[in-house]
Each structure stands twice: as structure tokens, then as C-alpha cells.
Amino acid sequence: MSGVTHSIGFGRLSAWLLRQLSRPGASLLSLASGGLVLAILWAVADWLVLSAVPPLADPAACAEAAGACWPFWAEKSRFILFGTYPFDEQWRPMLVSLLLLGLSIATGQMAVSGRWPDMRLFAGLWLAGMAASFALMGGDILGLVPVDATKWNGLPILLILSTIALALALPVGVLLALARYQTRHRLLHRAAGAYVEIMRGVPMVTLLFVGVFVLPLTLPKGMAIDPIVAVLIALVFFHAAYFAEDVRSGLMALPAGQQEAASSLGLGFWQSARLVLLPQAIERAMPALVNSTIGAYKDTSLVVILGLHDLSATARMAFSDVAWGNQALEAYVFVGVWFLVSCSYLSWIGRRLAARATQGRKRSA
């Protein structure tokens, strides 16, 4: 049996080689592309490993090395993660990062498995996690040393602005999608449509500037708003518009008979939306929702223009040190690895959800 399998595999390889040789131009292009890929991989491996300085080596060796200077990571990784937050209190941003990451990963795993807890309990856990994040970072309660928001840097500020904004924007987007989908209340339908179109037509940078510099001016005298909270509000309302269109696309893809069947059972619009339409619409819109989530997560780095130092900003601050001025590439590799791993996890969730939805449709058919 193994001999037959070997013969079949050799036959397929021979057939592929014959097809390539019959087209000289395509063969040359394939060989050139393969050689270019191998050259790039060799150069990357040489810089990362072969010519690199090990993490625990003397940093002085980096001056003569042709590869990466990994002692930079050993020295500056904590600064890149937590920035200028007081050194002795950095257990607090570390705990906040673990808390938000844990909630996000748990949410992803529950979405993939399809086994959700009571939604009120689930929402309560997220709200408690959000409150705990701000309490731990700011301090001044339960004996914690107060820390000004200007020192909230690095990974915690990235996770606070991305995970919390997305967690709040999704339900707002669902409500906007339902308001725009229904046609019984025309004023509500048009107001939701106008809001979504305006938000999608305004650059996020403009909205961030409005949130930080204009929103405080509209508050009553003597009332102030923290820049981080202002940015969070702007992100929620901005991303909600994109989530609304993703969910509405799922609603529009449903057969008309779904809503008619729900109405024939005596269900009102909001009941039919909650029990019949939304579960199917969100399932159909999942690829778009995952794509919007990944884009929104990466776009959070734009807050650096407002003076908020996320992970990319603290990386730049790390190699601004005179002693490590030549390690800009190592700093951005650190940030790139983080975004690659986290976005790959989100993409994996999206693929699993799409596969589960496809299997469900096949079983129902």
C-alpha cells in the first residue's frame, strides 16, 4: 500500500514538473519567486538568530553585531509594556492587562464553542472588569497610590481603549442596525441612518480631536472629563457605526419569511429581532464583524497623536534612550509580534465561527 501511495505522489510531482516545463516563462517566474523568498527568509533568519546578540549577553556586543540586539528586549521590555507608570506600582497595569486579556480570550472561546453563560452575568463581568481596570490604574482607593492618567502608557492603555471600546460599541451598533432595519418608525429609521452615514464619513482622527478638545468645552462649568474617557467615548460612537452596518448586512441577507414567520406567531418587532432575526444575522455577518474588530483594534494606535502613549509610542520612547538609539527595529519588532499574535487569534476565532456557521447551515439543509 505504501508503494502505491509513493507512486501516486511521484506521479503527481512529475505531472506538475511537466506542466511547468511546458511553460518556460511561468517556470522562470516560479524559480525567481522561489529564490527571492528563500533569500528573504535567509536574511530574516540571519538577523533574528544567526548574527543576533543573545538576550543575556553584554549590551556592548551590539555595537559590532550585524544582527538583532536582543539585550534591548531584556532591558526595555518592561518599559515598552508599561511606559512611565511608577516602577514600584507596575503590578497594577500588569493585573489590568491580564484581566482584560482574560475577559477577551474567554469571550472568544465562548463564541467559538457556542456555550454562553447567562447574558446578564456575562455583561456584569465585563462591566466589573472595566470598573476594576480604571480603579487599579488610577488608584486613590483602597490604599492605592493615585497615578495621573498621563502616566497610563503602553499595553494597558491599548487594551483599555480597544477592548472596552469594542465591548461597548457592539451593543450600540446592534441597536443602530435594528433601528435602521425597521421601517415602522420612520423618524427612528432615518435618524439611525443619518448617524451611521455621518460617522462613517468622518475620519476617526477628526472624531478623536473632537472628543478630547471640543467635548470638554460643552460640559457645565466646573466639570471636567479625563482625556482617556473622552477618547473612549469617541471610539465607542465611531466603531458602533461600522458594527451597525455589519449587523444590518446580516439582517438584509435574511429571507423575508423569517420576520413574517415571527410575526405570525404574535411576536413584536423587538421580540422577533431578539429571538429570531439577530442570532441568524450576527452569524451571517460574523466575517465582517471580525474584520471590523481587527481594524478597530489596530487603529487604536492613532491615539498617539493626542498625546496618549500606547504600545507603539512607548516602543519609540524606548529607543529614544541614547544608549539604545540604534535599536528602533528591535523595538518595532516587539510591537509587531504583539499585534501579529493578537490579530492572528482574532482571525482564528473568525475562521472557527465561519466554519461552525457553514456546518450548521449544512445540517439544517
Side-chain angles (χ1 to χ4, degrees), residues 84-362:
T84 58
Y85 203 90
F87 189 83
D88 294 336
E89 300 291 326
Q90 286 185 357
W91 63 270
R92 289 155 56 181
M94 183 182 298
L95 187 58
V96 168
S97 301
L98 292 175
L99 174 63
L100 294 177
L101 283 174
L103 285 171
S104 302
I105 293 173
T107 302
Q109 293 301 316
M110 285 186 286
V112 168
S113 65
R115 293 189 291 270
W116 294 92
D118 181 81
M119 294 309 295
R120 288 174 294 183
L121 174 63
F122 180 68
L125 287 175
W126 263 104
L127 291 175
M130 296 175 194
S133 299
F134 279 94
L136 283 169
M137 292 296 291
D140 205 18
I141 59 170
L142 301 177
L144 295 176
V145 177
V147 178
D148 190 79
T150 56
K151 295 185 178 181
W152 299 11
N153 306 150
L155 183 61
I157 197 67
L158 171 67
L159 293 175
I160 287 173
L161 293 178
S162 58
T163 59
I164 295 180
L166 292 173
L168 295 175
L170 181 57
V172 176
V174 170
L175 292 176
L176 285 169
L178 290 174
R180 195 174 185 187
Y181 176 73
Q182 61 85 33
T183 55
R184 184 175 181 181
H185 303 283
R186 302 299 298 179
L187 181 61
L188 183 61
H189 170 82
R190 290 170 180 167
Y195 174 85
V196 169
E197 294 304 325
I198 290 172
M199 284 296 171
R200 294 175 68 227
V202 174
M204 188 171 74
V205 174
T206 302
L207 199 62
L208 291 176
F209 274 107
V210 169
V212 172
F213 299 112
V214 179
L215 180 61
L217 299 177
T218 64
L219 298 176
K221 188 175 182 180
M223 183 180 293
I225 185 171
D226 191 277
I228 293 178
V229 176
V231 169
L232 193 58
I233 293 173
L235 290 175
V236 168
F237 285 109
F238 182 81
H239 296 314
Y242 285 86
F243 283 146
E245 282 299 276
D246 293 337
V247 175
R248 192 172 74 95
S249 69
L251 289 169
M252 299 297 291
L254 295 178
Q258 295 292 319
Q259 186 171 352
E260 293 172 358
S263 300
S264 67
L265 294 174
L267 298 178
F269 175 78
W270 297 106
Q271 286 180 312
S272 61
R274 181 171 61 89
L275 300 174
V276 179
L277 302 179
L278 273 181
Q280 299 179 73
I282 291 178
E283 183 180 90
R284 292 171 183 264
M286 193 54 68
L289 286 171
V290 172
N291 184 63
S292 296
T293 299
I294 294 175
Y297 172 64
K298 293 187 296 183
D299 288 345
T300 306
S301 295
L302 289 174
V303 300
V304 68
I305 64 175
L306 303 173
L308 300 179
H309 298 96
D310 74 320
L311 205 60
S312 58
T314 52
R316 187 171 65 252
M317 292 164 62
F319 69 78
S320 296
D321 188 340
V322 176
W324 301 100
N326 295 324
Q327 272 64 58
L329 186 54
E330 287 85 346
Y332 285 123
V333 165
F334 188 100
V335 179
V337 168
W338 168 262
F339 277 103
L340 176 63
V341 171
S342 53
C343 291
S344 297
Y345 175 71
L346 292 173
S347 298
W348 173 80
I349 290 175
R351 290 194 300 271
R352 290 291 302 273
L353 291 173
R356 190 162 67 92
T358 302
Q359 292 174 359
R361 285 195 290 270
K362 286 180 178 178

